[in-house]
Amino acid sequence: MSTPILSPLSFYKCLSDDTRLKALMLIYLEKELCVCDLITALELSQPKVSRHLADLRKCHILLDERRGKWVYYSVNPKLPEWAMKVLELTAHNTEAYLNDNITNLNMAKQSECCP
Amino acid sequence: MSTPILSPLSFYKCLSDDTRLKALMLIYLEKELCVCDLITALELSQPKVSRHLADLRKCHILLDERRGKWVYYSVNPKLPEWAMKVLELTAHNTEAYLNDNITNLNMAKQSECCP
DNA sequence: GATTGACATTCGAAAAAACATATATATGAT
DNA sequence: ATCATATATATGTTTTTTCGAATGTCAATC
């Protein structure tokens, strides 16, 4: 029954790293993504992506769900409304920042990573 | 004529420190504050406050204006609209986080720091 | 049950950020 | 000119964050 406590400071600390911010924006825009999608979209090593996703998970911004071999990440719908709106504003005003990654992601979706 | 470029990453890096986030929220809520107000409100040393204000100034989130002996800081009205809305959402949803500092600030305002 | 694929975690090093202290500058008053 | 006050910057140090590489775990398949 308790809503997860998310201090504004820990929220913004999560957004203050390039990998975390981009991963979060992509997941927000796509509703959910698996780790292999993000590795391709961000062009980063698997441990690096995984570590930053863990940060976002630990402060309850993201949820993870294993389905078979893959782990899917999505934005926690229980996020405070103000935080959700911040994500919305950011995602829709950072096209240039995300451009390359979205291109990579679309290519990833057409390949054979995850179903 | 050019609007100042503010990448989402550098914006959120500025918000990811306790001193900077609180100072920015207080300045946003009060329209403008001088350094001595912030020293009292945040209960921090002068160089520490000054250094973090400089960070916020350097990425164009804050403007500074000297009036006599005092330097007043305010939110840059040329901030991108999405960023301004993020400040609005944050300021009005972090009462508990700012509570003590607002109390301190009101006491500061009644004392003899700046006019 | 051994292996493979997808992902997570640990560890030590390197880089970045934050700190306290000292010093500099700018303004107004004496 | 000198001094006090308000603020900024510079410097050396400590703390935090990030990273790559290696290793561990879990589920599916052979």
Side-chain angles (χ1 to χ4, degrees), chain B residues 13-30:
Chain B
K13 280 190 178 181
C14 276
L15 305 201
S16 71
D17 171 88
D18 190 55
T19 301
R20 287 195 298 268
L21 182 56
K22 283 179 172 164
L24 179 55
M25 291 300 102
L26 293 175
I27 292 165
Y28 181 88
L29 291 169
E30 299 286 327

Side-chain angles (χ1 to χ4, degrees), chain B residues 44-108:
Chain B
L44 296 173
S45 71
Q46 178 269 319
K48 180 168 176 174
V49 171
S50 189
R51 202 168 1 87
H52 286 293
L53 289 173
D55 290 341
L56 289 160
R57 206 177 54 216
K58 282 169 189 165
C59 65
H60 312 291
I61 295 177
L62 292 183
L63 299 179
D64 65 325
E65 181 191 351
R66 178 177 281 275
R67 294 208 292 276
K69 295 202 289 190
W70 294 276
V71 177
Y72 291 84
Y73 282 85
S74 57
V75 175
N76 183 352
K78 290 184 184 168
L79 265 195
E81 198 178 332
W82 69 268
M84 199 64 92
K85 286 181 181 168
V86 167
L87 299 186
E88 169 74 18
L89 281 165
T90 308
H92 291 298
N93 287 278
T94 55
E95 293 82 2
Y97 176 65
L98 293 172
N99 209 7
D100 291 355
N101 308 110
I102 290 175
T103 303
N104 293 338
L105 183 60
N106 290 333
M107 302 199 318

Side-chain angles (χ1 to χ4, degrees), chain A residues 36-50:
Chain A
C36 60
D37 288 330
L38 289 165
I39 291 169
T40 307
L42 301 171
E43 298 178 285
L44 295 173
S45 71
Q46 178 269 319
K48 180 167 176 175
V49 171
S50 187

Side-chain angles (χ1 to χ4, degrees), chain A residues 59-76:
Chain A
C59 67
H60 311 291
I61 294 177
L62 292 184
L63 299 181
D64 64 325
E65 180 192 351
R66 177 179 280 273
R67 295 208 290 275
K69 296 204 288 189
W70 295 277
V71 176
Y72 290 84
Y73 282 85
S74 57
V75 175
N76 183 352

